[in-house]
């Protein structure tokens, strides 16, 4: 944090220590740096206005890209030691489902990833987009824009893609189409040849891509090399500008994304956030898309919850949200409000335009 920036007086030596759990390895490690930088920007900006409850925000960065049991054990140990006051971060749903029961009701846990929906563990608050809410309108708009009806789902083999794929079956039928095939591969898959042959045999004209980070990059490269980009559209709810850059220009043709934030989103709030991010970290900093920016939202929601409850005690926060009292803040995604344990936000459909996204509609 910049010591030259003015702060409101706070109790000397007191901090709010947050475990920032973000991917530093594995397929999702591709956008881990943008998660870190976005969270650090949020902490610095909070600290210029008094931190959280008058206490300076301090981040402990932890690797959320390892095996779920190991991540849960490491974070749980810090919570048991009283070393952290809250947990915030982007990590896959397999990690969340393992970690949440370990720390449930002990510290607030703000999960920032887009996910499959339905999380009800006490003390878990969610800033990410729920696929059960954004996927149907995204599939509808893509069908209307391109005429696609024959879908194939390709996802990593864990809870988020599996549950989202089940919802996609219903949505495709509701739109007069059908899921012709579903293919699930392990995290870290490098050879997508068998997958591409199945897509070709299915005669799909659209692929729902539920792959994480580098897996999505490798799939997109192979997809284009196989020539499927000439006949198939692709739609993903897990896609950011870092992944476009990694995939290369040819691999982004016919690629669509649904999310609550894009770097090219031309709202006052998003443009101002991009300006502050660039000013703080420079022109060479990792591109900040929806995945990385979500960690900024996570810190801001934690601060809003604490201010509304008057404490970082997770039981008091739950009483506030259970009572229906308003918890809201204004950030890069606009003025957002918590409904239950889920942040409500505008959602958008965008088309990849080489290395950027062209936002075509609000869902």
């Amino acid at each position: 944090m910049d010591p030259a920036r003015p702060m409101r007086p706070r109790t000397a030596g007191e901090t709010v220590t947050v475990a920032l759990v973000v991917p530093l390895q594995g397929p999702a490690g591709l956008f881990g740096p943008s998660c870190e930088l976005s969270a650090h920007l949020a902490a610095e900006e909070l600290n210029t206005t008094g931190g959280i409850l008058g206490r300076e925000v301090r981040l402990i960065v932890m690797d959320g890209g390892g095996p779920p049991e190991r991540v849960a054990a490491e974070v749980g140990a810090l919570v048991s030691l009283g070393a952290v006051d809250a947990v915030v971060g982007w990590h896959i749903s397999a990690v969340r489902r393992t970690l949440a029961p370990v720390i449930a009701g002990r510290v607030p846990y703000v999960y920032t990833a887009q996910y499959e929906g339905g999380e009800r563990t006490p003390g878990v608050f969610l800033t990410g987009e729920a696929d059960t809410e954004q996927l149907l309108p995204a599939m509808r708009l893509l069908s209307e824009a391109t005429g696609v009806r024959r879908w194939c789902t390709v996802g990593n083999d864990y809870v988020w893609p599996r549950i989202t794929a089940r919802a996609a079956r219903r949505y495709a039928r509701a739109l007069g189409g059908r899921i012709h095939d579903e293919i699930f591969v392990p995290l870290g898959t490098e050879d997508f040849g068998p997958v591409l042959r199945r897509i070709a045999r299915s005669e799909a004209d659209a692929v729902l891509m539920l792959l994480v980070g580098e897996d999505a990059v490798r799939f997109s490269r192979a997809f284009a090399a196989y020539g499927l980009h000439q006949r198939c559209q692709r739609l993903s709810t897990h896609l950011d500008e870092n992944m476009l850059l990694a995939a290369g220009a040819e691999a982004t043709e016919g690629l669509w994304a649904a999310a609550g934030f894009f770097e090219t989103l031309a709202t006052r709030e998003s443009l101002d956030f991009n300006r502050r991010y660039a000013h703080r970290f420079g022109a060479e900093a990792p591109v900040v898309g929806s995945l990385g920016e979500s960690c900024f939202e996570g810190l801001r929601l934690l601060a809003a919850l604490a201010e509304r409850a008057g404490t970082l005690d997770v039981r008091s926060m739950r009483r506030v949200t259970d009572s229906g009292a308003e918890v809201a803040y204004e950030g890069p995604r606009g003025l957002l409000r918590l409904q239950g344990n889920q942040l409500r936000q505008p959602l958008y459909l965008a088309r990849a335009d080489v290395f950027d996204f062209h936002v075509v509609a609000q869902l």
Side-chain angles (χ1 to χ4, degrees), residues 189-211:
T189 293
E190 296 187 1
D191 180 11
F192 283 96
V195 175
L196 299 170
R197 289 190 287 273
R198 281 179 63 174
I199 295 171
R201 287 196 300 270
S202 75
E203 298 186 348
D205 54 19
V207 173
L208 176 60
M209 196 170 72
L210 304 176
L211 296 164

Side-chain angles (χ1 to χ4, degrees), residues 11-280:
T11 304
E14 281 204 342
T15 62
V16 173
T17 304
V18 179
L20 178 68
V21 185
V22 295
L24 304 179
Q25 61 174 305
L30 175 67
F31 50 84
S34 67
C35 291
E36 271 196 75
L37 294 184
S38 295
H40 278 292
L41 181 61
E44 291 178 1
E45 292 185 349
L46 286 169
N47 287 336
T48 64
T49 56
I52 295 178
L53 301 175
R55 296 159 60 186
E56 183 176 358
V57 180
R58 173 176 170 258
L59 302 181
I60 297 178
V61 179
M62 305 188 70
D63 183 9
E69 293 76 14
R70 188 176 74 200
V71 177
E74 291 173 351
V75 178
L78 286 185
V79 172
S80 295
L81 289 169
V84 296
D85 302 292
V87 176
V88 174
W90 195 109
H91 31 274
I92 65 172
S93 288
V95 171
R96 186 196 80 249
R97 286 199 162 196
T98 307
L99 175 58
V102 173
I103 63 175
R106 300 165 68 191
V107 296
Y109 174 18
V110 183
Y111 183 67
T112 74
Q114 90 296 340
Y115 83 117
E116 65 279 358
E119 175 59 71
R120 294 292 181 267
T121 305
V124 178
F125 305 97
L126 305 118
T127 71
E129 307 91 333
D131 280 349
T132 50
E133 296 178 356
Q134 69 176 342
L135 190 55
L136 175 59
M139 290 175 68
R140 176 183 292 118
L141 282 175
L142 185 58
S143 295
E144 292 171 353
T146 66
V148 298
R149 292 290 184 274
R150 301 184 302 276
W151 292 83
C152 178
T153 297
V154 180
N156 287 119
D157 193 5
Y158 72 97
V159 59
W160 162 59
R162 288 278 184 181
I163 292 179
T164 300
R166 288 205 297 268
R169 291 176 217 158
R170 300 193 304 273
Y171 301 158
R173 288 195 299 269
L175 298 171
R178 185 164 70 88
I179 302 290
H180 286 245
D181 199 359
E182 290 180 356
I183 310 164
F184 298 97
V185 299
L187 285 162
T189 293
E190 296 187 1
D191 180 11
F192 283 96
V195 175
L196 299 170
R197 289 190 287 273
R198 281 179 63 174
I199 295 171
R201 287 196 300 270
S202 75
E203 298 186 348
D205 54 19
V207 173
L208 176 60
M209 196 170 72
L210 304 176
L211 296 164
V212 174
E214 287 283 2
D215 287 15
V217 168
R218 285 190 287 266
F219 173 76
S220 290
R221 289 173 181 164
F223 190 89
Y226 202 87
L228 285 170
H229 65 301
Q230 296 173 350
R231 74 171 225 206
C232 280
Q233 304 293 313
R234 281 164 291 158
L235 171 65
S236 177
T237 56
H238 169 91
L239 199 62
D240 81 345
E241 289 81 353
N242 290 288
M243 294 159 68
L244 296 185
L245 288 166
E250 292 184 359
T252 63
E253 183 180 341
L255 185 55
W256 302 71
F261 180 86
F262 293 96
E263 188 194 33
T264 52
L265 185 64
T267 64
R268 174 183 60 82
E269 297 89 351
S270 65
L271 291 171
D272 188 52
F273 169 76
N274 289 333
R275 178 190 59 77
R276 302 194 318 269
Y277 181 88
H279 177 75
R280 176 62 182 85

